[in-house]
């Protein structure tokens, strides 16, 4: 009964158009002060201790690193390198977009940042070459979603904080699925480009490829620093995020010199604003999680689901449907922070690996970012292309279907996610 009251109250507040973070906070406070005897001091304490975790510090650092890279010309050099490698194939510039998104995802940790950085440069170039605007928008909107699957990933950090799963293992688990999804999106792009005979570019020589690689090497080196540092044990994921922010500042200002020192203040302010928004959502979600736990709701739901005789296969199907439905009304951070504490205990009871479960959730979030009504990537791409959301929704369908097919494979073949972490940590 209490669970019903909590969820009805949360849904009612969200339907008023209130931001999800405030809806969460108000739901908790309303329930605690009218239905329980919980002292107000414990609420204040939980608000403070909820974001006192060391791992959470990685979020503002990764956001800052992503913003330095977005403004610092790194994306443009990655696109030039990607174009020299795959530009001569059918739909060459679009394939370069997929490859550039995958490379930028490996340094930014954010899907919207990847769409902005790569899309704002490559989409106008595609239109100039004669590609339909919808085709280019479809490629970048969906490929940009790789930003939260290919490590580092802000969404993985949030899952880690919520479920106490190792961030290092999650980052490692995202590598193989990330490469696989990038490849599948590339195949979809190539197939459509070949079918419609979209333009190809002249084949670049190895000299030109080496030159573009050398120019983009400073940005690509960040992948080695972050991932190599974590996997070798040189530093923790949080320390890696701080290193990434400092390194991104250095190459943007002093190496590539695309970012002037007077612009750094604006980048810092933008990053602070985005970090504050995410931390506010986390704080309220932690409070919501505290309420759920104090009312014993996750445990009751776990018992109810296992009592229905759901096995691993049917439970994972239910989880996918729930998360895809949640993706219609919430953005990824909120979904992870609300749903993970509820679904995680059931997954553990059924013997599902916590790292595999985390990757499954992240892939669901990717799909949610590419379809309406609240797909973040759609809105970012809409701002770049000046296309309507309905028009964009139609444009992304071929790639969205590819992502849904990939989701099924990742869900039921856990070794795709677990092979690399098991290899490194065994």
């Amino acid at each position: 009964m209490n669970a019903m009251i909590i969820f009805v109250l949360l849904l009612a507040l969200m339907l008023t158009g209130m931001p999800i973070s405030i809806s969460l906070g108000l739901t908790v406070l309303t329930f605690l002060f009218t239905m329980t005897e919980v002292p107000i001091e414990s609420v204040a304490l939980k608000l403070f201790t909820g974001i006192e975790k060391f791992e959470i510090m990685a979020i503002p650092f990764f956001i800052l690193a992503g913003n330095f890279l977005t403004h610092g010309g790194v994306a443009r050099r990655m696109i030039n390198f990607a174009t020299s490698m795959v530009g001569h194939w059918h739909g060459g510039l679009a394939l370069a977009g997929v490859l550039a998104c995958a490379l930028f995802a490996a340094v930014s940790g954010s899907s919207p940042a990847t769409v902005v950085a790569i899309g704002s440069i490559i989409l106008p170039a595609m239109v100039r070459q004669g590609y339909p605007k919808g085709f280019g928008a479809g490629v970048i909107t969906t490929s940009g979603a790789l930003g939260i699957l290919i490590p580092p990933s802000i969404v993985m950090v949030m899952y880690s904080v919520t479920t106490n799963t190792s961030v290092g293992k999650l980052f490692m688990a995202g590598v193989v699925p990330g490469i696989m999804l990038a490849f599948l999106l590339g195949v979809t792009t190539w197939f459509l480009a070949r079918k419609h005979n979209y333009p190809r570019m002249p084949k670049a020589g190895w000299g030109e490829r080496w030159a573009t690689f050398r120019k983009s090497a400073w940005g690509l080196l960040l992948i080695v620093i972050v991932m190599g540092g974590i996997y070798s044990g040189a530093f923790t994921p949080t320390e890696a995020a701080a290193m990434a922010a400092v390194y991104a500042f250095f190459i943007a200002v002093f190496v590539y010199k695309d970012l002037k020192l007077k612009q750094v203040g604006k980048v810092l302010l933008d990053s602070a604003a985005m970090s504050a928004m995410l931390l506010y959502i986390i704080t309220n979600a932690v409070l919501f999680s505290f309420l759920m736990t104090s009312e014993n709701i996750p445990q009751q739901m776990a018992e109810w689901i296992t009592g229905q005789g759901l096995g691993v296969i049917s439970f994972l199907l239910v989880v996918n449907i729930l998360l895809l439905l949640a993706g219609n009304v919430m953005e990824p951070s909120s979904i992870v922070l609300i749903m993970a504490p509820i679904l995680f205990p059931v997954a553990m009871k059924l013997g599902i690996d916590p790292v595999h479960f985390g990757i499954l959730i992240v892939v669901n979030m990717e799909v949610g970012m590419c379809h309406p009504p609240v797909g973040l990537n759609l809105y970012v791409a809409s701002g770049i292309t000046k296309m309507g959301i309905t028009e964009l929704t139609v444009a992304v369908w071929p790639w969205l279907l590819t992502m849904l097919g990939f989701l099924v494979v990742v869900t039921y073949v856990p070794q795709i996610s677990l092979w690399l972490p098991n290899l490194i940590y065994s």
Side-chain angles (χ1 to χ4, degrees):
M1 185 62 188
N2 283 354
M4 183 66 74
I5 293 168
I6 291 167
F7 285 114
V8 167
L9 187 57
L10 177 62
L11 194 61
L13 289 170
M14 282 166 54
L15 288 172
T16 63
M18 189 181 289
I20 287 167
S21 52
I22 298 174
S23 302
L24 285 169
L26 273 180
T27 300
V28 174
L29 294 175
T30 305
F31 186 85
L32 286 179
F33 295 148
T34 58
M35 310 278 290
T36 68
E37 299 296 319
V38 175
I40 193 166
E41 289 83 1
S42 66
V43 177
L45 185 66
K46 200 67 198 170
L47 277 170
F48 179 74
T49 56
I51 55 168
E52 209 184 12
K53 295 181 179 175
F54 183 62
E55 292 89 350
I56 288 180
M57 287 173 63
I59 294 170
F61 284 130
F62 277 133
I63 288 171
L64 183 58
N67 279 346
F68 276 131
L69 295 171
T70 305
H71 290 85
V74 175
R76 190 175 69 251
R77 289 169 177 85
M78 283 183 175
I79 289 168
N80 291 341
F81 170 58
T83 305
S84 73
M85 296 304 292
V86 296
H88 58 286
W89 293 346
H90 286 282
L93 201 52
L95 284 172
V98 177
L99 180 55
C101 281
L103 292 171
F104 196 81
V107 295
S108 74
S110 162
S111 285
T114 305
V115 175
V116 169
I118 305 299
S120 56
I121 299 166
I122 212 161
L123 284 173
M126 287 178 73
V127 172
R128 279 197 301 275
Q129 271 203 14
Y131 288 88
K133 195 188 273 189
F135 179 78
V139 171
I140 300 302
T141 303
T142 48
S143 300
L146 292 166
I148 59 169
L149 180 59
I150 295 177
S153 161
I154 292 168
V155 172
M156 285 183 194
V157 174
M158 289 184 168
Y159 174 82
S160 163
V161 167
T162 313
T163 61
N164 289 319
T165 307
S166 161
V167 185
K169 280 189 178 180
L170 282 166
F171 278 8
M172 213 173 304
V175 174
V176 175
I179 292 169
M180 274 184 70
L181 182 55
F183 175 76
L184 291 171
L185 292 172
V187 168
T188 308
T189 304
W190 173 83
F191 176 78
L192 290 169
R194 189 162 178 252
K195 182 182 172 185
H196 298 290
N197 199 27
Y198 290 148
R200 302 163 73 168
M201 300 174 76
K203 188 172 184 177
W206 284 106
E208 188 184 334
R209 287 174 177 178
W210 171 248
T212 56
F213 171 75
R214 210 173 64 244
K215 286 175 184 171
S216 63
W218 283 98
L220 296 171
L221 189 59
L222 185 55
I223 304 171
V224 179
I225 291 171
V226 172
M227 306 311 288
I230 293 170
Y231 301 159
S232 65
F235 35 72
T236 66
T238 304
E239 290 162 351
M243 289 286 292
V246 172
Y247 181 80
F249 163 75
F250 177 77
I251 60 170
V253 175
F254 299 110
V255 178
Y256 291 148
K257 298 179 181 174
D258 289 312
L259 188 70
K260 302 289 180 279
L261 272 173
K262 64 181 180 185
Q263 296 173 287
V264 170
K266 186 180 184 307
V267 173
L268 290 170
L269 279 174
D270 289 346
S271 304
M274 193 181 292
S275 301
M277 180 187 75
L278 281 176
L279 290 172
Y280 186 63
I281 293 171
I282 292 170
T283 307
N284 283 294
V286 164
L287 206 54
F288 186 76
S289 182
F290 162 69
L291 171 63
M292 301 287 282
T293 310
S294 69
E295 293 299 313
N296 215 29
I297 291 167
Q299 292 80 358
Q300 288 171 13
M301 288 185 76
E303 283 168 19
W304 182 82
I305 288 172
T306 46
Q308 301 304 303
L310 283 183
V312 173
I313 291 173
S314 44
F315 170 70
L316 290 176
L317 178 64
V318 169
V319 167
N320 280 335
I321 292 168
L322 266 176
L323 292 174
L324 290 172
L325 288 172
N328 285 313
V329 291
M330 290 190 277
E331 47 84 40
S333 310
S334 307
I335 298 172
V336 171
L337 293 163
I338 294 168
M339 303 293 275
I342 299 167
L343 298 170
F344 188 76
V346 190
M348 295 307 97
K349 207 165 188 177
L350 290 170
I352 297 165
D353 189 283
V355 174
H356 169 231
F357 195 63
I359 297 301
L360 181 152
I361 288 179
V362 171
V363 176
N364 270 289
M365 299 304 96
E366 284 191 295
V367 175
M369 295 184 97
C370 300
H371 68 72
V374 294
L376 279 178
N377 285 12
L378 282 180
Y379 286 95
V380 173
S382 173
I384 297 169
T385 60
K386 304 292 183 283
M387 289 170 69
I389 296 297
T390 311
E391 202 181 347
L392 266 174
T393 305
V394 174
V396 300
W397 262 111
W399 295 273
L400 203 54
L401 288 173
T402 303
M403 291 170 83
L404 286 167
F406 176 72
L407 172 61
V408 174
V409 176
V410 162
T411 301
Y412 294 113
V413 188
Q415 280 312 110
I416 293 172
S417 310
L418 300 178
W419 173 75
L420 191 58
N422 288 346
L423 186 73
I424 305 281
Y425 282 97
S426 59

